[in-house]
């Protein structure tokens, strides 16, 4: 079974520039998550999709971050414009809707550095 | 505010040592407790998902216990090896509706010296 794919793996941009990350979840996983993990902190959920609908985006800074999952499969997360404090690892994860434990499967992450 | 705490924050051990760390979580509205291992430059990997009070789970040299009444879980590594070096994250899964968003600890960073 193929895992969660993310690209790019690394990205360096200057502040005020834009950046986009892509995620392809495990086939058949209806739920997709984007996390932000800043060095020294636990992962912070930015947005959760169920198919192509948003379940939770309460911690997404909507003035600069946006995400979509138009066909209920792959997803993109965009930051526009980036700030220095956006430097972090952006993790995508997916899980089955059914099943009691909602175990999440993670991609390798995108390490973003904003200079 | 739901809070998940992990201790210690970091740990350095010698190869062959056994070690353990703690995850503390709210004792009410418990649904599940997840343990993940995150090696540098790799994807976080699920180790255990624990749902029942008194649960003990084992995978090779790694095991975990769960006490939902007092709100803690221990992760044990027996005979640590350099490849065990990673950050170990726990996440609390509250029983709150269908969303059940995971609440993450900050992790315990383990370094095993050969």
């Amino acid at each position: 079974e193929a895992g969660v794919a993310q690209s790019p793996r690394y990205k360096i941009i200057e502040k005020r520039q834009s950046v986009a990350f892509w995620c392809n979840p495990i086939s058949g996983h209806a739920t997709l998550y984007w996390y932000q993990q800043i060095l020294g902190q636990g992962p912070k959920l930015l947005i959760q999709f169920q198919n192509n609908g948003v379940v939770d985006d309460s911690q997404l800074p909507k003035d600069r971050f946006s995400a979509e999952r138009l066909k209920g499969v792959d997803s993109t997360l965009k930051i526009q414009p980036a700030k220095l404090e956006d430097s972090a690892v952006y993790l995508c994860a997916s899980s089955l809707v059914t099943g009691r434990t909602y175990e999440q499967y993670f991609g390798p992450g995108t390490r973003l550095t904003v200079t | 505010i739901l809070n998940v705490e992990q201790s210690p924050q970091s740990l350095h051990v010698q190869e062959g040592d056994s070690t353990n760390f703690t995850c503390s979580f709210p004792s009410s509205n418990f649904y599940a407790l997840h343990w993940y291992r995150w090696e540098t430059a790799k994807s976080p990997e699920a180790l255990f998902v624990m749902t029942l009070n008194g649960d003990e789970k084992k995978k090779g040299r790694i095991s975990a216990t769960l006490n939902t009444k007092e709100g803690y879980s221990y992760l044990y590594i027996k005979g640590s090896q350099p490849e065990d070096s990673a950050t170990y994250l726990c996440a609390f899964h509250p029983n709150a509706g269908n969303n059940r968003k995971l609440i993450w600890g900050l992790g315990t960073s383990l370094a095993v010296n050969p």
Side-chain angles (χ1 to χ4, degrees):
Chain A
E1 174 181 77
V4 176
Q6 286 189 251
S7 68
R9 291 293 308 276
Y10 305 92
K11 189 75 177 178
I12 301 174
I13 61 172
E14 295 182 351
K15 60 183 178 184
R16 291 187 289 272
Q17 285 187 321
S18 301
V19 64
F21 314 127
W22 174 81
C23 172
N24 192 22
I26 292 173
S27 177
H29 281 196
T31 307
L32 186 147
Y33 313 80
W34 281 103
Y35 287 94
Q36 178 193 59
Q37 199 262 342
I38 293 174
L39 189 64
Q41 300 181 18
K44 169 186 166 185
L45 179 68
L46 293 175
I47 190 166
Q48 177 181 339
F49 291 96
Q50 183 89 349
N51 297 307
N52 60 349
V54 175
V55 173
D56 186 339
D57 64 356
S58 56
Q59 297 191 98
L60 186 75
K62 298 180 185 65
D63 57 333
R64 299 184 300 106
F65 285 64
S66 65
E68 60 183 15
R69 193 185 185 200
L70 292 174
K71 295 182 179 179
V73 181
D74 56 350
S75 174
T76 55
L77 176 70
K78 296 179 182 176
I79 307 175
Q80 181 178 7
K83 293 185 176 181
L84 295 176
E85 58 261 36
D86 299 332
S87 294
V89 175
Y90 290 84
L91 290 164
C92 178
S94 69
S95 68
L96 287 167
V97 176
T98 56
R100 188 164 181 258
T101 57
Y102 290 71
E103 181 175 322
Q104 296 182 19
Y105 296 82
F106 285 84
T110 297
R111 183 173 296 277
L112 174 67
T113 302
V114 182
T115 63
Chain B
I1 295 177
L2 299 176
N3 206 31
V4 175
E5 295 182 357
Q6 291 189 246
S7 62
Q9 185 176 356
S10 64
L11 199 53
H12 292 254
V13 301
Q14 290 298 124
E15 183 175 354
D17 287 350
S18 293
T19 186
N20 66 86
F21 7 103
T22 306
C23 173
S24 301
F25 53 86
S27 55
S28 59
N29 294 321
F30 178 86
Y31 182 76
L33 192 284
H34 298 237
W35 279 102
Y36 285 83
R37 174 172 59 199
W38 192 2
E39 294 178 64
T40 303
K42 294 187 178 179
S43 309
E45 171 199 0
L47 289 173
F48 305 112
V49 181
M50 309 181 79
T51 56
L52 298 175
N53 184 42
D55 239 357
E56 286 191 35
K57 298 216 170 182
K58 188 175 180 182
K59 183 186 283 190
R61 294 177 292 98
I62 304 176
S63 60
T65 61
L66 179 69
N67 184 324
T68 61
K69 294 185 188 304
E70 296 182 39
Y72 64 84
S73 175
Y74 294 137
L75 189 79
Y76 300 92
I77 302 178
K78 184 178 177 182
S80 302
Q81 299 296 308
E83 57 264 32
D84 296 328
S85 297
T87 295
Y88 291 82
L89 290 160
C90 71
F92 170 65
H93 213 163
N95 187 15
N98 292 324
N99 186 9
R100 299 191 180 116
K101 181 167 63 178
L102 290 180
I103 300 161
W104 294 83
L106 300 184
T108 293
S109 176
L110 174 66
V112 182
N113 301 315

